[in-house]
Amino acid sequence: MLIKEELNRYNRQMILPELGLVGQEKLKAAKVLVIGAGGLGCPILQYLAAAGIGTIGIIDDDVVELSNLHRQILYNHTDIGLSKAKTAAAKLKLLNPHVNFTAYDERFNPHNAVNICQEYDLLIDCSDNFSTRYLVNDTCVSLGKTLIFGSILQFEGQVAVFNHQGGPNYRDLYPTPPTENINCVEGGVIGILPGIIGIYMANEAIKLICGIGETLSGKLMTINALDNTVLVFKIAQEKQPEIVKKEVIIETTKEIDQATLEQWLSKSADEVFLIDVREDYEHEDFNIGGVNISLYELTNAIENIPQDKKVVCYCQTGQRSKMAVQLLNGVYKGKVYSLKGGVSSIVH
């Protein structure tokens, strides 16, 4: 039930015949999780909070940096060094005190994905890396949640709605990661682009919650801010293997630290099978040995993994290797471990 102040606050959008009082009450009852409070997350959070979404979750383990401020305009220079999730929640509460915010100052990972996501009706993926995007997607598939996806790079952005009422999911669009994994840090991004794409994503959220208009379910919209090109592609849907659901419902992952791995290798190296689950260019840049099998090719290479050895998966930070362990646990009979902290914790 909307109170008098809310009726006044949302008056201009409530007079829209497509939305009305019923639509506004749907917005107040909605629970939305925004994964990532960076370039895309900032405008989405601002507009959804202003629109009157009743409950908004914000998950991000990052802190505000000076290089963020040209595009993440929810923050200012006094916020540098502070938690993005907590800072965003505090600022948004000033924007709209009628919204309930929950800040998760942690990384979205295989351990917390299901527990957090099951509390929300709608998920919005604002992450900037493929491992998180696949994890978000697979969690939504497992829980039957609708997902709004967006990505940005340089002058171009993408928006889509996945897993809505049995529609296509992210893996239907990208069964495996693109060969080139360039992010904004390496490729750059024009500051206004996350605002454009983020607002489209927020608009999709409002339409989905209120049940109005035509959404981007089963479609991919691309926007080029440099030449004003807008294209919409239809996404073909294919049946995904059961492994998609398995990788997000396993709650425990066996981890070992660097010291343990070194001890195993020094005692009986022939009993340990090392797998670098990063991409080939990452492996070539630096590795600690073993074979290189990308996370996204892992289940297709089971026959190359000996069943009688301890399998240790490693990556850059330990996140992808955790996912690898979960994938292998469903199809591999031997013992599988993840190297805690990945190779980024190893001095080289």
Side-chain angles (χ1 to χ4, degrees), residues 123-167:
L123 277 67
I124 304 180
D125 183 7
C126 305
S127 61
D128 60 359
N129 64 86
F130 287 111
S131 60
T132 302
R133 289 172 184 169
Y134 282 98
L135 177 59
V136 174
N137 173 79
D138 296 348
T139 305
C140 287
V141 171
S142 178
L143 297 175
K145 305 283 186 180
T146 297
L147 169 65
I148 298 175
F149 161 79
S151 69
I152 53 173
L153 181 64
Q154 297 177 339
F155 291 92
E156 186 170 292
Q158 299 180 342
V159 185
V161 173
F162 293 122
N163 204 46
H164 180 57
Q165 297 178 344

Side-chain angles (χ1 to χ4, degrees), residues 104-297:
Y104 303 92
D105 186 16
E106 56 189 292
R107 189 173 186 82
F108 188 84
N109 61 61
H111 293 297
N112 60 25
V114 172
N115 289 336
I116 292 177
C117 291
Q118 64 188 1
E119 300 298 322
Y120 296 88
D121 309 315
L122 178 66
L123 277 67
I124 304 180
D125 183 7
C126 305
S127 61
D128 60 359
N129 64 86
F130 287 111
S131 60
T132 302
R133 289 172 184 169
Y134 282 98
L135 177 59
V136 174
N137 173 79
D138 296 348
T139 305
C140 287
V141 171
S142 178
L143 297 175
K145 305 283 186 180
T146 297
L147 169 65
I148 298 175
F149 161 79
S151 69
I152 53 173
L153 181 64
Q154 297 177 339
F155 291 92
E156 186 170 292
Q158 299 180 342
V159 185
V161 173
F162 293 122
N163 204 46
H164 180 57
Q165 297 178 344
N169 68 70
Y170 184 73
R171 287 184 183 270
D172 288 308
L173 179 63
Y174 297 118
T176 58
T179 53
E180 292 186 5
N181 185 13
I182 303 174
N183 56 31
C184 293
V185 175
E186 301 166 334
V189 61
I190 188 71
I192 53 87
L193 184 62
I196 296 172
I197 301 301
I199 289 173
Y200 266 101
M201 294 170 72
N203 188 51
E204 289 300 296
I206 292 172
K207 290 190 295 181
L208 286 164
I209 293 166
C210 296
I212 61 175
E214 182 179 341
T215 70
L216 287 170
S217 176
K219 302 173 185 176
L220 177 72
M221 180 173 71
T222 65
I223 300 175
N224 189 312
L226 193 60
D227 61 15
N228 293 315
T229 302
V230 179
L231 300 172
V232 178
F233 303 92
K234 188 172 182 179
I235 301 171
Q237 187 172 13
E238 297 181 6
K239 181 175 176 60
Q240 297 300 326
E242 282 299 309
I243 196 68
V244 171
K245 293 187 178 182
K246 288 181 181 178
E247 70 180 280
V248 297
I249 60 176
I250 299 171
E251 296 182 355
T252 59
T253 300
K254 293 182 180 179
E255 288 185 287
I256 61 168
D257 56 21
Q258 182 185 352
T260 301
L261 176 59
E262 291 176 351
Q263 184 180 30
W264 286 0
L265 292 173
S266 63
K267 285 187 176 181
S268 53
D270 58 339
E271 295 181 6
V272 179
F273 191 74
L274 268 177
I275 305 177
D276 182 353
V277 298
R278 300 174 299 166
E279 299 304 310
D280 55 1
Y281 66 89
E282 295 176 282
H283 181 80
E284 291 174 4
D285 181 56
F286 173 72
N287 67 80
I288 57 172
V291 299
N292 179 208
I293 307 175
S294 166
L295 171 66
Y296 309 103
E297 296 295 330

Side-chain angles (χ1 to χ4, degrees), residues 303-329:
E303 65 278 4
N304 299 324
I305 303 175
Q307 297 284 330
D308 58 346
K309 295 186 178 184
K310 295 177 182 176
V311 174
V312 178
C313 300
Y314 71 89
C315 62
Q316 194 67 27
T317 64
Q319 295 302 318
R320 278 177 285 178
S321 58
K322 288 180 184 178
M323 296 174 66
V325 170
Q326 293 175 349
L327 283 168
L328 289 175
N329 277 336

Side-chain angles (χ1 to χ4, degrees), residues 37-47 60 62-76 84 126-128 151-155 183-199:
L40 289 172
C42 284
I44 292 170
L45 288 165
Q46 287 170 286
Y47 275 92
D60 198 315
D62 204 0
V63 298
V64 180
E65 299 179 3
L66 181 61
S67 60
N68 300 150
L69 300 184
H70 88 289
R71 65 194 184 283
Q72 300 177 24
I73 61 175
L74 178 59
Y75 312 116
N76 60 58
K84 285 185 178 179
C126 305
S127 61
D128 60 359
S151 69
I152 53 173
L153 181 64
Q154 297 177 339
F155 291 92
N183 56 31
C184 293
V185 175
E186 301 166 334
V189 61
I190 188 71
I192 53 87
L193 184 62
I196 296 172
I197 301 301
I199 289 173

